[in-house]
């Protein structure tokens, strides 16, 4: 972004990568896949790079409002400093926090989840996909809580999957009633409380009941949780977990 | 002596309504112990929610079978109350079936006929509900928090409604027989599509016996209703009244939007703005920072959250969708609501006894809701989505977490590590902020 600024230009959209997308090995692949798609569609975008910092979502959901607001205000200062208007992110938590909780703190932007953004690119004809290697494959979609229930977006990712001509099989609990992968509320960063089972294993079992070959999702944290769930069930051979953006990029062999 | 029944009736009615009013006042007083909230926004949305969700039961039918049965009972309950109006007028003035003298015959017959059909549907609904609770033993009615009073409460209500409906139909059956005997006072009025099947059972009874049955059922029915009205206060059945305001005040913003604490905003702004003198006296009119962040007891919660607690029907739909509960963790969003109500009631009783609240060495946190429960929540909003009366258990969990973290620094160790990382590295993991863009050049 700093480079854009130096040239006195404004990008069409800012890609907010997020902590997972920047540091988590698995999530970085999603980041790269999404960037490939952005390039392919000739989107003029920028990232904040080292100026980006955690949105504060995990701090807020853990109850640390102080830390959250410090993060939020620091980020807002950077974003407003660059005059950013439109943001796209591949993380539903960043999407929710920036979209819902930043405005009151002085940061109002048009924000899109990457599945929404990709859908708009397809609708505008800037990007084309065909079934490719996923055509007819049995695929189930796991709704990330902070995209689905929290913000009511169930259709954009499903639309993309439709474009890939997959056979979409829904889990019993989907959309509004979708079950959490177990990562939210800062659970990602702590051991679960004592119980009979881990949430991600339960959710993975629900996904495997559909006998889908791929569990598609749209959140780096769901990705980690579901991947671990598949490992816990020793099913890596049969079931893959993929982000919708990766699937599109893969279908195109990008 | 002639007016004795009228007088007795009026006394019973006044006592019933009086005691009920007293308790409603207590509820309002207790709710006002909570923090004020401004919910004057989105009026249109709020009214439409109330019509759809409370009146229209839209969330109930998400589970079709109990949803439909609940609609029987609910519609029956509401509509049969028109009949109660007639009973009250008759009771006070000593008339009999007074509405039949005011309304056109056809309409009156239609009304009484529909009441009877509804009464039957209520009876069927209630019996099936009882079966689901006690024979089928649906899991959500057998969670640990459903022992003792909550379990009995659920069944008492069902018995109550069964008895009331049977009395209503018996009353009508005896009335019919008296009408056909041409008994004095018993005008020919009403159509009785259901209770006519009871008539053969009392066929051949003397006029005196029939009179006793009719009066007995009439009195028990109306006294039963008055008792039921007063039972509400002690019961999860309060929802039949509170569901309406509760849905009105329910969350109208996206579920993922958690409120930003204004007091924190002020402090953070102060910290970040080099021009502000941190030691300056707060400007005129600005609020003093509250002495406490988050909630450790019910008084720290908002009035809406306390209304939520009184409204909770203990149906357990929230808990049955909760990922933490499903996987055997201690957390149950229903229990969060029940605990909040129990603690609030405890404080209410304390105030009744002492005139004002005398600290009792207890609080909502730890004495009712444990930390283990609070930390098990994934903030997934499934409970909020599932609740048929727009209750938000998650907001209470969040407020209590805020207390734990900001007042007590009592987050689980791993979370403290993650938060320190966010503070120092701008990410919950111990990576260097300068490495944020490394993915760009990796392959
Ligand atoms: S938000 Fe928390 S309490 Fe509610 S269903 Fe999800 S995990 Fe359970
Ligand atoms: S909070 Fe709502 S869903 Fe949960 S038990 Fe109470 S009424 Fe039922």
């Amino acid at each position: 972004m700093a480079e854009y600024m130096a040239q006195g230009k404004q990008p069409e959209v800012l890609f907010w990568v997020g902590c997972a997308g920047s540091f988590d090995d698995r999530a970085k692949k999603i980041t790269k896949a999404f960037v490939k798609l952005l390039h392919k569609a000739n989107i003029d975008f920028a990232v904040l790079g080292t100026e980006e910092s955690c949105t504060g979502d995990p701090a807020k959901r853990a109850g640390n409002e102080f830390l959250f607001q410090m993060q939020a205000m620091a980020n807002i200062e950077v974003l407003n400093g660059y005059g950013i208007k439109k943001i796209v992110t591949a993380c539903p938590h960043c999407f929710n926090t920036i979209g819902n909780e930043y405005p009151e703190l002085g940061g109002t932007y048009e924000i899109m989840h990457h599945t929404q953004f990709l859908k708009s690119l397809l609708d505008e004809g800037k990007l084309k996909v065909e079934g490719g290697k996923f055509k007819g494959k049995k695929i189930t979609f796991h709704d990330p809580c902070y995209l689905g229930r929290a913000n009511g977006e169930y259709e954009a990712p499903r639309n993309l999957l439709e474009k890939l001509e997959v056979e979409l099989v829904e889990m019993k609990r989907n959309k509004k009633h979708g079950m959490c992968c177990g990562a939210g509320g800062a659970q990602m960063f702590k051991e679960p409380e004592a119980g009979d089972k881990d949430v991600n294993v339960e959710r993975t079992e629900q996904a495997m009941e559909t006998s889908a070959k791929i569990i598609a999702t749209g959140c780096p944290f769901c990705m980690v949780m579901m991947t671990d769930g598949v490992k816990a069930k020793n099913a890596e051979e049969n079931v893959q977990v993929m982000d919708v953006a990766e699937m599109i990029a893969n279908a195109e062999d990008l | 002596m002639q007016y004795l029944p009228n007088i007795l009736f009026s006394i019973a009615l006044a006592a019933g309504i009086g005691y009920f009013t007293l308790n409603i006042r207590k509820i309002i007083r207790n709710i006002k112990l909570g923090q004020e909230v401004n919910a004057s926004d989105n009026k249109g949305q709020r009214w439409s929610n109330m019509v759809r969700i409370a009146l229209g039961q839209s969330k109930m039918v998400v589970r079709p079978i109990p949803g439909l049965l609940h609609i029987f009972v609910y519609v029956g309950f509401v509509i049969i109350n028109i009949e109660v109006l007639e009973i009250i007028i008759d009771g006070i003035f000593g008339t009999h079936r007074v509405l039949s003298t005011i309304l056109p015959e056809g309409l009156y017959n239609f009304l009484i006929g529909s009441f009877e059909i509804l009464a039957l549907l209520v009876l069927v609904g209630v019996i099936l509900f009882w079966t689901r609770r006690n024979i089928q033993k649906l899991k959500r009615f057998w969670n640990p928090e459903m022992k003792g009073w909550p379990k009995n409460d659920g069944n008492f209500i069902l018995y109550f409604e069964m008895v009331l409906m049977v009395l209503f139909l018996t009353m009508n059956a005896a009335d019919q027989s008296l009408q056909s005997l041409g008994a004095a006072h018993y005008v020919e009025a009403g159509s009785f599509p259901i209770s006519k099947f009871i008539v053969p059972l009392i066929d051949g009874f003397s006029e005196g016996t029939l009179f006793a049955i009719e009066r007995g059922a009439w009195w028990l029915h109306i006294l039963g209703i008055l008792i039921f009205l007063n039972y509400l206060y002690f019961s999860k059945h309060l929802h039949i009244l509170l569901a309406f305001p509760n849905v009105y005040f329910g969350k109208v913003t996206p579920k993922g939007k958690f409120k930003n604490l204004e007091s924190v905003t002020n402090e953070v702004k102060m910290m970040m703005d080099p021009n502000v003198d941190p030691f300056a006296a707060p400007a005129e009119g600005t609020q003093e920072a509250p002495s406490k962040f988050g909630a450790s007891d019910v008084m720290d919660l908002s009035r809406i959250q306390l209304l939520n607690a009184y409204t909770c029907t203990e149906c357990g739909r929230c808990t049955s969708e909760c990922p933490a509960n499903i996987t055997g963790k201690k957390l149950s969003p229903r229990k969060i609501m029940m605990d909040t109500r129990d603690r609030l009631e405890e404080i209410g009783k304390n105030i009744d006894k002492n005139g004002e609240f005398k600290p009792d060495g207890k609080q909502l946190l730890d004495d009712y809701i444990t930390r283990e429960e609070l930390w098990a929540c994934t903030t997934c909003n499934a409970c909020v989505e599932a609740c048929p009366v727009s209750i938000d258990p998650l907001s209470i969990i969040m407020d209590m977490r805020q207390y734990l973290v900001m007042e007590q620094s009592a987050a689980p160790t791993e979370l403290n590590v993650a938060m320190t990382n966010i503070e120092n590295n701008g990410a919950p993991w111990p990576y260097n902020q300068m490495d944020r863009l490394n993915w760009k050049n990796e392959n």
Side-chain angles (χ1 to χ4, degrees):
Chain A
M1 187 60 219
E3 290 161 30
Y4 266 88
M5 204 56 183
Q7 297 164 22
K9 282 198 304 187
Q10 264 297 333
E12 236 174 273
V13 60
L14 178 88
F15 172 30
W16 182 275
V17 185
C19 299
S22 303
F23 293 123
D24 180 84
D25 283 332
R26 182 65 188 82
K28 278 195 263 187
K29 293 191 185 149
I30 307 173
T31 307
K32 286 180 230 168
F34 182 57
V35 165
K36 277 182 199 157
L37 292 172
L38 290 175
H39 282 311
K40 174 134 197 276
N42 278 322
I43 300 297
D44 179 28
F45 72 99
V47 295
L48 286 179
T50 55
E51 287 182 281
E52 187 185 285
S53 184
C54 175
T55 59
D57 162 84
K60 186 173 183 84
R61 318 288 144 188
N64 195 336
E65 184 74 9
F66 266 107
L67 181 54
F68 160 68
Q69 292 204 12
M70 303 230 301
Q71 288 298 118
M73 294 212 203
N75 282 324
I76 291 171
E77 216 169 81
V78 174
L79 290 168
N80 288 353
Y82 286 128
I84 300 293
K85 304 245 151 35
K86 188 169 174 184
I87 303 176
V88 60
T89 177
C91 173
H93 294 267
C94 300
F95 169 71
N96 177 69
T97 308
I98 298 177
N100 286 324
E101 290 157 1
Y102 277 22
E104 276 168 23
L105 301 172
T108 309
Y109 320 98
E110 185 194 336
I111 179 129
M112 290 178 103
H113 185 247
H114 69 317
T115 56
Q116 297 173 324
F117 192 75
L118 289 172
K119 180 176 178 298
S120 73
L121 294 184
L122 291 176
D123 291 348
E124 290 163 21
K126 291 189 182 157
L127 199 64
K128 282 202 179 51
V129 288
E130 268 153 32
K133 56 171 101 149
F134 298 108
K135 192 166 175 171
K137 267 208 174 174
K138 248 192 184 176
I139 285 161
T140 190
F141 182 72
H142 163 77
D143 288 281
C145 301
Y146 277 84
L147 180 65
R149 227 172 358 252
N151 290 295
E153 181 58 83
Y154 307 106
E155 292 313 322
R158 287 185 171 76
N159 254 314
L160 297 177
L161 290 173
E162 250 166 53
K163 295 262 163 57
L164 287 171
E165 295 167 73
V166 307
E167 184 194 342
L168 182 64
V169 278
E170 293 287 0
M171 290 181 246
K172 257 199 218 115
R173 290 188 61 176
N174 63 62
K175 300 188 185 169
K176 263 197 213 165
H177 303 286
M179 194 177 102
C180 178
C181 68
Q187 295 295 339
M188 178 77 193
F189 308 103
K190 63 186 262 300
E191 285 303 310
E193 274 58 34
D196 326 320
K197 209 193 244 181
D198 284 342
V199 176
N200 61 333
V201 175
E202 169 72 27
R203 185 57 171 166
T204 308
E205 285 169 2
Q206 295 173 8
M208 286 170 52
E209 261 171 42
T210 65
S211 66
K213 289 275 160 280
I214 297 177
I215 305 172
T217 186
C219 170
F221 296 102
C222 297
M223 171 64 72
V224 173
M225 284 303 199
M226 300 304 282
T227 310
D228 285 353
V230 171
K231 272 190 210 140
K233 302 256 52 155
N234 286 324
E236 298 110 300
E237 308 266 295
N238 305 320
V239 185
Q240 260 183 301
V241 189
M242 290 186 90
D243 190 275
V244 180
E246 289 180 302
M247 293 178 63
I248 296 182
N250 263 356
E252 295 284 299
D253 267 328
L254 286 180
Chain B
M1 270 317 272
Q2 191 201 339
Y3 291 111
L4 191 62
N6 310 34
I7 296 171
L8 285 179
F9 180 84
S10 303
I11 294 175
L13 187 68
I17 293 180
Y19 189 56
F20 175 68
T21 319
L22 196 78
N23 282 328
I24 287 290
R25 283 231 174 104
K26 262 189 206 163
I27 292 178
I28 295 174
R29 179 200 67 193
N30 291 353
I31 287 177
K32 283 198 171 151
L33 294 172
Q35 306 290 317
E36 255 179 90
V37 259
N38 182 359
S40 58
D41 56 330
N42 293 298
K43 287 219 166 62
Q45 177 69 43
R46 290 179 185 281
W47 281 109
S48 107
N49 283 352
M50 193 165 107
V51 171
R52 260 184 326 113
I53 300 172
L55 196 65
Q57 311 257 302
S58 61
K59 289 261 178 113
M60 283 304 291
V61 287
V62 170
R63 301 188 186 187
I65 296 172
L68 194 69
L69 294 177
H70 188 266
I71 286 184
F72 287 170
V73 177
Y74 159 75
V75 174
F77 189 88
V78 171
I79 296 189
I80 294 173
N81 275 322
I82 304 176
E83 170 73 7
V84 175
L85 186 74
E86 178 176 56
I87 293 180
I88 290 177
I89 302 175
D90 284 347
I92 297 175
F93 298 106
T95 46
H96 187 70
R97 295 198 178 268
V98 67
L99 291 185
S100 69
T101 58
I102 304 171
L103 302 175
E105 192 189 330
L107 178 63
Y108 186 77
N109 289 353
F110 171 76
L111 280 178
I112 298 293
S114 356
F115 296 160
E116 288 218 334
I117 293 171
L118 285 168
L120 180 71
L121 287 178
V122 171
L123 210 52
V124 171
V126 166
I127 290 170
L128 291 176
F129 276 150
W130 184 87
T131 321
R132 287 164 59 86
R133 264 178 199 265
N134 299 289
I135 311 283
Q136 240 180 302
K137 298 205 179 203
L138 251 60
K139 186 168 171 288
R140 64 184 158 116
F141 299 125
W142 292 82
N143 288 62
E145 68 265 24
M146 294 307 282
K147 293 206 180 84
W149 173 246
K151 174 165 175 270
N152 295 334
D153 181 27
N155 283 327
F156 285 163
I157 293 162
L158 297 177
Y159 299 141
F160 234 112
E161 284 171 352
M162 283 182 217
V163 170
L164 285 180
M165 291 306 120
V166 169
L167 286 171
F168 176 70
L169 293 172
T170 313
M171 174 184 96
N172 279 354
D175 197 304
Q176 272 168 80
S177 303
L178 286 164
Q179 284 181 24
S180 55
L181 287 178
H185 218 64
Y186 286 89
V187 284
E188 282 214 27
S191 79
F192 304 96
I194 306 296
S195 63
K196 71 175 180 212
F197 296 107
I198 308 179
V199 173
L201 300 178
I202 49 172
D203 201 24
F205 285 19
S206 72
E207 196 176 312
T209 318
L210 287 173
F211 180 74
I213 295 177
E214 196 275 336
R215 283 293 89 188
W218 187 93
W219 273 98
L220 287 174
H221 179 243
I222 187 68
L223 289 178
I225 285 178
L226 288 173
I227 294 171
F228 192 54
L229 183 70
N230 282 288
Y231 177 78
L232 296 185
Y233 172 65
F234 304 96
S235 158
K236 61 151 186 153
H237 227 52
L238 211 41
H239 76 273
I240 61 171
L241 302 172
L242 296 187
F244 294 88
N246 195 72
V247 169
Y248 180 87
F249 288 118
K251 191 167 181 172
V252 284
T253 47
K255 289 197 179 62
K257 178 175 177 165
F258 292 14
K259 67 173 196 292
N260 291 329
L261 277 187
E262 212 180 309
S263 50
V264 172
T265 313
N266 296 338
E267 289 200 27
V268 172
K269 275 201 177 128
M270 203 126 75
M271 274 159 53
M272 295 194 34
D273 187 348
N275 300 322
V276 174
D277 172 8
F279 300 109
E284 204 76 29
T286 52
Q287 250 183 322
E288 280 273 328
S291 47
K292 190 170 175 181
F293 295 114
S296 61
D297 209 347
V298 288
M299 291 86 106
D300 307 325
L301 295 172
S302 80
R303 291 179 181 179
I304 294 179
Q305 288 168 322
L306 298 184
L307 173 63
N308 280 182
Y310 273 121
T311 309
C312 176
T313 72
E314 295 168 18
C315 68
R317 288 171 179 232
C318 50
T319 296
S320 72
E321 303 252 319
C322 171
N325 191 275
I326 290 172
T327 54
K329 319 287 190 290
K330 287 230 173 73
L331 172 63
S332 159
R334 166 171 57 189
K335 177 175 172 293
I336 301 283
M337 300 319 299
M338 291 167 69
D339 285 344
T340 306
R341 177 169 175 176
D342 288 349
R343 173 61 182 158
L344 186 56
E345 272 299 296
E346 184 176 57
I347 288 182
K349 295 214 178 83
N350 183 316
I351 296 177
D352 290 341
K353 205 167 117 215
N354 304 315
E356 57 173 350
F357 177 62
K358 288 249 161 67
D360 54 0
K362 288 205 232 167
Q363 57 175 3
L364 184 61
L365 177 67
D366 296 334
D367 295 309
Y368 286 84
I369 299 172
T370 61
R371 295 162 194 235
E372 183 179 342
E373 291 164 61
L374 295 173
W375 288 118
C377 174
T378 72
T379 71
C380 73
N381 263 307
C383 52
V384 184
E385 175 60 45
C387 181
V389 290
S390 306
I391 289 173
D392 186 349
L394 171 56
S395 68
I396 298 183
I397 297 174
M398 280 314 305
D399 287 356
M400 295 184 76
R401 278 189 181 182
Q402 286 182 340
Y403 175 81
L404 285 176
V405 173
M406 292 196 284
E407 293 285 341
Q408 301 212 312
S409 307
T413 328
E414 305 109 307
L415 279 189
N416 278 330
V417 173
M419 291 192 285
T420 314
N421 283 329
I422 294 179
E423 211 174 324
N424 298 332
N425 317 325
W429 298 288
Y431 296 108
N432 192 324
Q433 171 116 23
M434 287 303 129
D435 293 339
R436 251 198 192 252
L437 204 52
N438 289 5
W439 57 267
K440 193 166 157 249
N441 305 314
E442 286 167 11
N443 248 317

